[in-house]
Amino acid sequence: MSIISKMLKKKQKQRKNDNYRQKLDPSDPGELLIHRAYQENLARIKEELGNSSDLVSKEIKIGNIHGAIVFIEGLTESKVISNFILESVMQTGEIPLGVDYYQYMLDKTVALGSTKTITNWNDLYDSLLNGDTIIFLEGYNKAISGGTAGGEKRAVSEPSQQLSIRGPRDSFTEMLRTNTALIRRRIKSPNLWTESMKIGTVTQTDIAIMYIKGIADDKIIQEVKKRLNRINMDTVLDSGYIEQLIEEQTYTSFPTTYHSERPDVVSSQLLEGRIAIVADGSPFVLTVPAIFIQFFQAPDDYYSRFDLSSALRLLRIIAFFIALVGPSLYIAGTTFHQEMIPTTLAIAIAAQRENVPFPAFFEAMIMEVTFEILREAGLRLPKSVGQAVSIVGALVIGQAAVQAGIVSPVMVIVVSITAIANFSTPVYAMAVSARLLRFVLMVLASFVGFFGIMVGLMIMVIHLCSLRSFGVPYMEPLAPFSRKNLQDVFIRYPLWAMKNRPMHISEGNMVRTGEHQKPGPPTQSNKDTSQSKKGNQQ
Amino acid sequence: MEKAKISTKQLFALVVLFEMGSAILVGFPKNLKQDAWIANLLGMAEGILLFFVYYRLYLFYPNLPLTGYLQKIIGKWPGRILGFFYIVYFAYLSARVLRDFGELLSSTIYTRTPIFFLMTLLMLTIAYAIQKGFEVLARVSELFFVIVYIMAISGFILIISSGLIHLENLKPMVENGWKPIIKTSLKETLTFPFGEMVVFTMLLPYVHLSKKVKTVCISGMILSGINITIAAVINIATLGVDLFTRSSYPLLTTISKIQLLHFIERLEVLFMLYLMIGGFIKVALFYYVAVAGTASLFKFKDLRKINLPIGILILLTAMIIAPYYSEHIVEGLDIVPIYLHWPFQIILPCILLVIAFIRNHKKTAKEPAP
């Protein structure tokens, strides 16, 4: 492992050098300044962007001075440019003498909400490539950048992965600002802080770190910033890139950061003291630190009543377990521990397996791999051919496979149960880990049956206990055990009983719910209600 | 020493799981017949007394493990040599317990799988845990504690509800007088498992709240002692004296007798789950202590570097310790308690305590407290 990490480090170093070469050389400050002659500037932009066809530059005359506007088509809102820049420029008459043209332009002509002055080329490219419009004026070594970012974007739609019966129906889009707005719309507190940075030496992706000051732990915030700042990579195309670079441990199949496409989920995470990382271009928002049990908490759990949601959560955990050990239990049971299966069932299974030529392990392996192929193919195939996959799938995993004598009917049932159980984990990243580990357990079960499964599970538990996410033990609050934090683990307590924020994550401001929140029949005395109001205000 | 801190809850879970570990499988003195459980209870009481010796030593040197304060008490080189013997003792015990579990698995369920393979798998699991450090081991034990308790309680309910318990099997009590009971308790049930608390002399410096160590350890010992006693009572009551003394794993026999509603039967799986967990914690603690002791004695900074070599050594020792099971058991009952357990668990710590007491007394006499 150490050799691999050394090699990786070497590679990273090399890449670091390459990246710096691509950036403008900051050693010569003269190179970075904007030229007084606007035509020089135009020529330079054209040259440096390789005369790209989506670059639009237009020479203009404002009153009595010359200038030019430059923007990139597609990134900008063309209506805004024509209405608020071009139109007003055309209408500007003679500019009175003795007035600073630049200031006049900034104050009177450009009727945009956000404008800023740019003096060097790095900033210029930043705003230009973000969709702003640049206005040069003859004789000034600075430029106006008008906020005209816009262009085509996907509308806020229903979530496609993390569905719920009850609860809000919006989901994040690819636009950073839309996403942060969706969160802010839910938490109207001045304490919700947003910090921005750019990651990706070439892609220059905007990243926003969001947290609630006073609830999130400062140490974790610092750690998040430190890890984000450390990233030196050319590309960030999705929050998945960031996730992989800020994880505590790479060599694990369990996700140590949480991601969601639902603003309500991210908001609730923020309110628990977690920190959200929003990346431009990704509809998935990361939240850290993540703990194991969090991946079994579905949004519905909080919107519906506690009894049902607790039962469903237990069901989900059991389903995860089934998805993990289903086929390996079948292998162990049929090859090693026939005596542990009830006799009638054992005879039935033996009769069915009579015609199957393979040992149980191969039988299970064939079916599981087939199913995984089907699943992957179903995901990748164009929608128009999707129908074909489901028909073929029903043939491959079904009666035909049994009749062909390749697998036994019990195996088909085992595979189907495993598959269905696997889909009940609310977060895909966690479901995937069960999917992978299932095969390891199958191999172990084929060697030493139940003992092998136990060894596999124990190693898994040890591994889980050794994981940390931003310093928080992954198995919190089970190991290290803390009774106070059990409010939201296997059983979701009634909302009025979830008094505190999770203690291992949040810092300070622990109280969540006021006193006397337990609802009940109307009481005679007014004392109770006045007290509860007081609690609320606190 | 590793930089680890464990909470008192974790210490409690470790103590209970460690004590119950293999004792609940083989720790019943069968020569006492129906009075075996009394010896278990007596052993617990004696064990608690013995624990005070370890605890006093810990109080003298709260930041040092056994291998560390040995050098302070009896001098640098004698301390190191004695520390080395302790390490060998721990490693040997680890190998013994490993063999116990290997034999159990290979004689009951995996009759055709080579015992070496079974032990290697278990050892790999444990080595992995130790590679991750003591804190992880403590956290794991916390999780396992809950699992073991759920299983124990459900097993208890199942045994009672299937009407297997015949308390008349326990009579007559103290048939042959107290003498054999006390003798057996000193020889067998004190040294195994309660005297094995000597392992914690190496682990107590890790505990976060050192004030609570005494209560936590003793309550853990009491809980595990009561559990072992309950297991003994249930075994005798269910199986009868005859079957109890003849079966090599009474608890397994008891559990296999559970039959309820023609559906809940063959619960050996539960038993195996317990077996894995108990075996894991017990072997792991002995193994860890051997590793940590070696590291402190030979000044290794990183435990993880010597983890695997010692693990392989323990595994091989477990293989060559005895040619077959009966010899292994005879060794365990006749030789190990007298020639190993007594000196290392009782005699040496007592001597150490006396020397430490005199030394510290001298010190305080020389420099009177301000």
Side-chain angles (χ1 to χ4, degrees), chain A residues 104-315:
Chain A
Y104 186 84
M105 186 79 189
L106 206 57
D107 293 343
K108 296 268 164 71
T109 316
V110 181
L112 282 174
S114 81
T115 50
K116 60 183 177 194
T117 298
I118 281 173
T119 52
N120 76 46
W121 280 89
N122 276 345
D123 291 349
L124 189 144
Y125 280 127
D126 260 2
S127 6
L128 183 66
L129 296 174
N130 267 325
D132 291 351
T133 301
I134 311 288
I135 304 169
F136 294 112
L137 284 182
E138 175 69 41
Y140 287 93
N141 60 350
K142 47 191 177 180
I144 300 171
S145 147
T148 56
E152 288 303 313
K153 62 178 181 190
R154 195 163 63 91
V156 174
S157 60
E158 281 200 28
S160 59
Q161 273 200 22
Q162 294 169 328
L163 304 173
S164 70
I165 302 269
R166 199 170 162 182
R169 292 253 180 274
D170 52 353
S171 76
F172 290 122
T173 69
E174 282 77 10
M175 294 289 288
L176 178 85
R177 276 292 153 250
T178 316
N179 295 351
T180 52
L182 282 173
I183 296 171
R184 207 176 263 290
R185 220 169 269 168
R186 283 185 167 76
I187 307 173
K188 291 173 192 111
S189 158
N191 286 336
L192 176 66
W193 287 13
T194 309
E195 292 180 34
S196 322
M197 57 169 72
K198 277 186 199 292
I199 299 181
T201 44
V202 176
T203 57
Q204 294 287 326
T205 311
D206 286 308
I207 307 285
I209 310 166
M210 297 182 89
Y211 54 88
I212 300 182
K213 187 74 186 165
I215 293 180
D217 190 341
D218 277 331
K219 264 181 282 173
I220 300 179
I221 297 171
Q222 291 309 320
E223 183 63 30
V224 169
K225 281 188 208 159
K226 208 175 90 191
R227 288 192 197 178
L228 285 175
N229 278 324
R230 208 190 54 201
I231 297 177
N232 188 316
M233 218 190 187
D234 58 344
T235 348
V236 174
L237 295 180
D238 186 85
S239 55
Y241 279 72
I242 297 170
E243 178 184 341
Q244 291 173 53
L245 290 170
I246 61 171
E247 279 176 330
E248 214 119 331
Q249 197 171 5
T250 306
Y251 305 102
T252 174
S253 68
F254 294 97
T256 48
T257 55
Y258 186 89
H259 58 82
S260 178
E261 56 173 349
R262 297 177 62 104
D264 53 332
V265 171
V266 172
S267 305
S268 87
Q269 309 271 14
L270 286 172
L271 284 163
E272 281 184 351
R274 291 194 173 82
I275 297 151
I277 302 167
V278 193
D280 195 26
S282 170
F284 288 96
V285 172
L286 300 179
T287 55
V288 293
I291 55 171
F292 182 70
I293 205 70
Q294 195 184 340
F295 293 89
F296 297 94
Q297 301 167 342
D300 290 38
D301 287 2
Y302 305 93
Y303 304 138
S304 51
R305 297 187 55 256
F306 90 101
D307 46 357
L308 180 74
S309 49
S310 303
L312 289 180
R313 185 177 293 173
L314 286 176
L315 187 72

Side-chain angles (χ1 to χ4, degrees), chain A residues 511-528:
Chain A
V511 181
R512 241 186 148 156
T513 315
E515 294 294 313
H516 310 295
Q517 290 297 299
K518 186 179 177 184
T523 41
Q524 291 295 312
S525 66
N526 289 330
K527 232 180 180 181
D528 266 8

Side-chain angles (χ1 to χ4, degrees), chain A residues 340 448 451 454 463 465 481, chain B residues 110 128 139 142 269 273:
Chain A
M340 282 179 191
V448 268
F451 178 65
M454 293 283 299
H463 180 72
C465 284
F481 182 80
Chain B
Y110 296 100
Y128 180 70
R139 267 185 243 154
E142 233 171 338
V269 181
L273 195 70

